[in-house]
């Protein structure tokens, strides 16, 4: 069994991006600029956004963080998004989810300029991804593809089962794993909360990608020997025996599943670190696109 070390691969990618940024500086080019909007005081969101700011520093990007009150109106937030859309200095930006109940999340995501949508959530980018056109791939699925590629895990002709159908992970993964090329060319089954006889399906899978947010959902008896397991889940489970009062768990019963798997991502240290690195990679792509567009004009 091989551990898919997202932390190591993520560091490799950051080093590659830092090298690229250094070359840009030497050529006298503008370095990429990533911005983030965070609304309210959600603890997990703050941690995640702070890790993005640190990652930007590490690779030599410029970064901006805009903190908004949890009582902000939808109109005020949309105005801020439009301001960033119009700011030529910013190459890409994200609106950290979740958003407060008074705000329509889809309306907000639709307001982001597709050319700056480095999260890959805008319908334009999602549609391009589905049509196999060049676009921003959502950061977590992009990270999973990168892990499969760097560990040279065969996907052609394999049966991939995706558990979870969110537009952030499950649905894009089901499209990407079935596309032409590598990683891809696999036969995909997309499962969710209403899927009957799920064990019957998972036990036939060569590759399982799970993102349901239910700790230990995938058990050892649900997989076949030598399956490849990608665990996207990350849940804080209360545990009084630890200093923090909780432990981090994935959607996979790691102890038992790892005994049968050929490759598996740990939680933490698997898919999580990859997400931030791929967001940086998308921002680098955005900067290059904007530079070429300006050159054409």
């Amino acid at each position: 069994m091989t551990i898919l070390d997202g932390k190591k691969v993520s560091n490799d990618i950051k080093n590659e991006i830092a090298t690229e940024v250094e070359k840009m500086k030497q050529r006298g080019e503008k370095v990429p600029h990533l911005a983030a909007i965070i609304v309210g005081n959600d603890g997990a969101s703050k941690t995640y956004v702070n890790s993005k700011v640190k990652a930007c520093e590490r690779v030599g990007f410029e970064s901006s963080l805009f903190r908004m009150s949890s009582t902000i109106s939808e109109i005020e937030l949309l105005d801020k998004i439009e301001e960033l859309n119009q700011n030529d200095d910013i190459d890409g930006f994200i609106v950290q989810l979740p958003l407060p109940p008074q705000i329509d999340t889809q309306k907000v995501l639709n307001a982001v300029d597709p050319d700056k949508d480095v999260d890959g959530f805008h319908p334009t980018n999602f549609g391009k991804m589905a049509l196999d056109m060049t676009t921003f791939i959502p950061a977590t699925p992009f990270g999973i593809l990168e892990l499969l590629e760097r560990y040279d895990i065969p996907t052609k002709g394999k049966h991939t089962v995706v558990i979870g159908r969110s537009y952030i992970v499950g649905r894009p993964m089901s499209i990407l794993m079935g596309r032409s090329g590598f990683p891809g060319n696999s036969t995909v089954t997309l499962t969710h909360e209403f899927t009957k006889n799920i064990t019957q399906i998972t036990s036939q899978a060569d590759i399982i990608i799970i993102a349901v947010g239910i700790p230990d959902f995938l058990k050892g008896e649900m997989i076949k020997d030598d399956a490849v397991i990608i665990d996207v889940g990350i849940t804080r489970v209360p545990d009084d025996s630890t200093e923090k009062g909780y432990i981090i768990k994935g959607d996979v019963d790691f102890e038992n599943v790892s005994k049968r798997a050929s490759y598996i991502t740990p939680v933490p240290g698997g898919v999580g670190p990859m997400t931030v690195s791929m967001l940086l990679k998308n921002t680098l792509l955005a900067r290059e696109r904007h530079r070429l567009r300006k050159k054409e004009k």
Side-chain angles (χ1 to χ4, degrees):
M1 188 271 298
T2 303
I3 296 278
L4 296 171
D5 190 345
K7 212 169 179 181
K8 183 198 174 295
V9 175
S10 166
N11 279 329
D12 291 345
I13 292 165
K14 283 176 188 161
N15 290 339
E16 290 161 17
I17 293 171
T19 303
E20 205 53 50
V21 171
E22 202 46 53
K23 286 178 188 169
M24 291 168 99
K25 284 179 182 171
Q26 285 167 9
R27 292 194 296 264
E29 291 173 15
K30 175 190 172 303
V31 301
H33 185 166
L34 174 65
I37 297 175
I38 184 167
V39 182
N41 293 303
D42 181 76
S45 291
K46 278 161 84 173
T47 303
Y48 189 44
V49 167
N50 287 338
S51 71
K52 288 169 182 171
V53 171
K54 278 184 193 163
C56 283
E57 280 172 25
R58 180 178 157 185
V59 299
F61 282 12
E62 284 180 38
S63 71
S64 300
L65 181 54
F66 301 95
R67 298 180 187 276
M68 306 287 172
S69 158
S70 59
T71 57
I72 191 173
S73 71
E74 188 174 273
I75 287 172
E76 285 174 296
L77 181 55
L78 291 170
D79 284 347
K80 187 67 190 177
I81 288 168
E82 188 50 31
E83 188 189 305
L84 299 191
N85 284 339
Q86 299 301 328
N87 185 341
D88 287 342
D89 189 50
I90 290 172
D91 296 295
F93 69 94
I94 61 149
V95 181
Q96 185 62 41
L97 303 179
L99 293 169
Q102 75 272 19
I103 291 167
D104 180 339
T105 299
Q106 200 54 55
K107 203 176 195 180
V108 164
L109 296 177
N110 288 359
V112 176
D113 180 348
D115 272 345
K116 294 189 176 191
D117 167 42
V118 286
D119 254 339
F121 294 159
H122 193 282
T124 298
N125 288 326
F126 201 96
K128 283 183 172 179
M129 178 197 69
L131 292 168
D132 225 354
M133 295 165 72
T134 303
T135 190
F136 298 120
I137 296 172
T140 301
F142 198 5
I144 293 168
L145 292 180
E146 198 75 15
L147 273 178
L148 292 170
E149 190 174 334
R150 294 199 181 214
Y151 278 89
D152 205 19
I153 294 169
T155 58
K156 187 179 179 181
K158 300 293 182 184
H159 182 196
T160 297
V161 171
V162 179
I163 308 174
R165 55 178 173 179
S166 76
Y167 64 84
I168 294 172
V169 181
R171 242 177 291 181
M173 277 320 306
S174 69
I175 294 165
L176 293 162
M177 291 302 287
R179 69 180 180 169
S180 180
F182 174 69
N185 281 323
S186 69
T187 302
V188 183
T189 303
L190 178 61
T191 66
H192 46 79
E193 61 188 306
F194 299 115
T195 302
K196 291 177 181 175
N197 306 323
I198 194 160
T199 299
Q200 205 177 327
I201 298 166
T202 56
S203 60
Q204 295 171 18
D206 301 303
I207 301 167
I208 296 174
I209 300 165
I210 180 166
V212 289
I214 303 170
D216 294 342
F217 178 88
L218 190 73
K219 309 288 184 192
E221 61 270 19
M222 292 172 73
I223 74 159
K224 70 176 185 181
D225 288 340
D226 294 331
V228 175
I229 310 295
I230 308 287
D231 187 354
V232 187
I234 185 156
T235 306
R236 288 182 179 187
V237 178
D239 187 334
D240 295 335
S241 68
T242 65
E243 198 180 315
K244 290 178 179 174
Y246 64 86
I247 53 169
I248 298 288
K249 282 213 155 207
D251 291 348
V252 174
D253 174 4
F254 186 88
E255 194 182 331
N256 293 306
V257 171
S258 61
K259 289 171 186 167
R260 301 186 69 183
S262 56
Y263 293 89
I264 190 167
T265 57
V267 175
V271 175
M274 295 297 296
T275 300
V276 174
S277 292
M278 303 322 282
L279 186 70
L280 297 177
K281 200 160 184 177
N282 273 344
T283 308
L284 186 67
L285 292 169
R287 169 85 293 269
E288 184 57 15
R289 250 191 237 180
H290 296 155
R291 186 185 69 80
L292 290 173
R293 197 165 295 157
K294 207 171 177 184
K295 204 175 171 185
E296 284 165 12
K297 283 179 184 177

